[in-house]
Amino acid sequence: AQKITQTQPGMFVQEKEAVTLDCTYDTSDPSYGLFWYKQPSSGEMIFLIYQGSYDQQNATEGRYSLNFQKARKSANLVISASQLGDSAMYFCAMRDLSGNTGKLIFGQGTTLQVKP
Amino acid sequence: DARVTQTPRDKVTEMGQEVTMRCQPILGHNTVFWYRQTMMQGLELLAYFRNRAPLDDSGMPKDRFSAEMPDATLATLKIQPSEPRDSAVYFCASASGTGYTDTQYFGPGTRLTVL
C-alpha cells in the first residue's frame, strides 16, 4: 500500500531564510506523482508543486522547489526566502493508483511558522 | 483564473437536519472528488466521479450520505440526517484526468458544524 510520511509536526523559520519540509513515501509502483499543497489558516488547499517519478530534474515553481531523491524515496519541499504569508500547514501527497480511483493519499502535514 | 467553487463556505445546522453542499469543478475537468478533513482522520476520500459517473463512494456512510453529479458543472454532497460526528471541512477537488500526473485542484471547502 502507498504511504506518505511527514515527520515534522511543526517548523519555525526566520523571515527571508530558506526552509525544508520533509516528506518520505512508500510505493511499489514505478510510475507515481508527488504533490505539495499549502493550507493557510483560512482553510483552502492550494496546489504548490508537482514531481513525477520519471522527471529527470527537480521541480521548481517560483520560491518552491522539490528536492526529489528517488532512491531514498523522499520528496522534500524547499521554500526559499520565506515570507510571513508562508505560515501555513503543508501537505505532501501522492496519487493512489490502486483501485483506479486516483485519490490523493496525504501525509499528516507540517505546520510552518515564519517569524518576523 | 479557473478555480473550483464550493457553496456554502460555512454551515451550522442542528442534528437531524439535511445538509446539501455544492461544487462547481473547473470547466473541462472530467474528474471530481469529495474529501473530508477532520483533526482525527486528516483528509479522506468520500466519493469520486469520472465523466459524471460515480466510480467510488466506498468512503461514504451509505445510510446518510449521497453524492451526485447532475451535470458537468455541478456536483452535490448531501447528508440526511446530519449528526454531530459529521462536523468537518468538506472539500471538492477536480482534475482533468485520473493519471498519476493529473493535479487535483481543491475548492475552498465547506466548514460544517452539526450541533
Side-chain angles (χ1 to χ4, degrees), chain A residues 62-82:
Chain A
R63 294 186 299 111
Y64 304 108
S65 61
L66 212 151
N67 184 2
F68 182 48
Q69 298 188 44
K70 197 168 180 178
R72 298 181 60 185
K73 292 190 174 179
S74 72
N76 298 338
L77 177 70
V78 180
I79 304 175
S80 63
S82 297

Side-chain angles (χ1 to χ4, degrees), chain A residues 37 39 43 50 95 101-102 104, chain B residues 35 37 56 91 99 101-102 104:
Chain A
Y37 288 85
Q39 187 173 39
Y50 161 79
R95 292 298 287 270
T101 67
L104 285 170
Chain B
Y35 290 91
Q37 184 180 34
D56 185 357
F91 286 103
T101 62
D102 294 309
Q104 293 182 24

